[in-house]
Amino acid sequence: MKQEKMLILASSSPRRKELLQTLGLSFSIQSSDVDETTDPGMQPQEIVEELALRKARKVASGLTEGVVLGSDTIVVLNGEILGKPVDDEDAYRMLHALQGCEHTVYSGIALIDAESGQSEVTHSRTQVRIRPLAPDEIRAYIATREPMDKAGSYAIQGIGATLVEGIEGDYFTVVGLPLRLTASMLSRFGIQVL
């Protein structure tokens, strides 16, 4: 089926780009550098929806047509949001806290039609269990540098997959863009995947 509207990904994330490519859609990328501070007391699902919408709005504000896709992902352990590590010790702290436990990954998705102003925002949530890890394993993983730009300090789609004992929910939510949910939303904006 011919894609009627242009799709714009409001992210420079290589993982989101790869995931969107798997859907076979043509799209362009326009990074959205937005302030990612949120009000204290916001729930994780509200945070990812707010940030996804903020990213999509920033890009859509400079366009007259096309559908803009914004997304945001956070890792939550016992109510604490684990962002990207600031250094090796921060990565160690997060991975040590995550090991042997279950945590939740939230990914928010926002779509905005730049021409009509139509918008939709939602989120997906997945439970992830990290296996028990020895301190040497954590340091060896950090030495790969893979954790350094990942929320929660691990990448389920990389070497970090060896740390994951199991998941309950959508794998792609953990990678950063829930594909089933994204495809379903896109169809309501005139972009059909199948």
Side-chain angles (χ1 to χ4, degrees):
M1 178 178 252
K2 185 178 177 297
Q3 186 175 325
E4 296 294 323
K5 295 184 180 180
M6 184 58 200
L7 178 61
I8 301 97
L9 176 61
S11 171
S12 57
S13 160
R15 291 162 297 284
R16 289 194 181 105
K17 177 186 172 192
E18 285 173 20
L19 290 175
L20 210 47
Q21 284 171 331
T22 65
L23 296 181
L25 299 171
S26 64
F27 63 95
S28 62
I29 295 172
Q30 204 170 321
S31 186
S32 60
D33 294 324
V34 297
D35 175 13
E36 294 197 17
T37 29
T38 54
D39 295 334
M42 283 180 84
Q43 295 301 307
Q45 62 272 20
E46 295 172 318
I47 293 169
V48 292
E49 287 187 10
E50 166 67 27
L51 293 177
L53 193 56
R54 206 178 283 176
K55 292 171 183 179
R57 274 192 188 128
K58 171 92 184 267
V59 171
S61 69
L63 301 171
T64 55
E65 61 181 13
V67 175
V68 180
L69 167 62
S71 186
D72 191 73
T73 301
I74 60 173
V75 172
V76 181
L77 175 67
N78 300 326
E80 181 191 355
I81 294 171
L82 304 179
K84 295 175 182 176
V86 294
D87 57 25
D88 288 10
E89 285 312 305
D90 195 31
Y92 185 91
R93 177 190 67 80
M94 285 189 227
L95 289 164
H96 186 266
L98 289 170
Q99 60 99 24
C101 297
E102 189 167 270
H103 63 276
T104 310
V105 179
Y106 293 84
S107 278
I109 307 170
L111 290 179
I112 297 177
D113 185 317
E115 187 178 8
S116 70
Q118 174 191 358
S119 68
E120 185 178 334
V121 63
T122 191
H123 72 278
S124 177
R125 177 176 84 205
T126 296
Q127 299 296 119
V128 181
R129 182 167 189 81
I130 301 292
R131 67 178 173 79
L133 303 169
D136 287 351
E137 285 181 294
I138 296 174
R139 296 218 183 274
Y141 180 52
I142 293 168
T144 68
R145 310 317 293 157
E146 184 178 85
M148 301 320 292
D149 66 339
K150 312 292 187 302
S153 299
Y154 75 94
I156 195 169
Q157 75 281 11
I159 304 166
T162 64
L163 312 179
V164 177
E165 201 167 67
I167 70 168
E168 189 177 317
D170 180 4
Y171 166 83
F172 297 107
T173 295
V174 186
V175 182
L177 188 67
L179 293 180
R180 182 203 53 77
L181 189 56
T182 301
S184 171
M185 289 173 73
L186 285 169
S187 69
R188 292 190 286 279
F189 282 72
I191 299 175
Q192 298 295 330
V193 174
L194 293 175

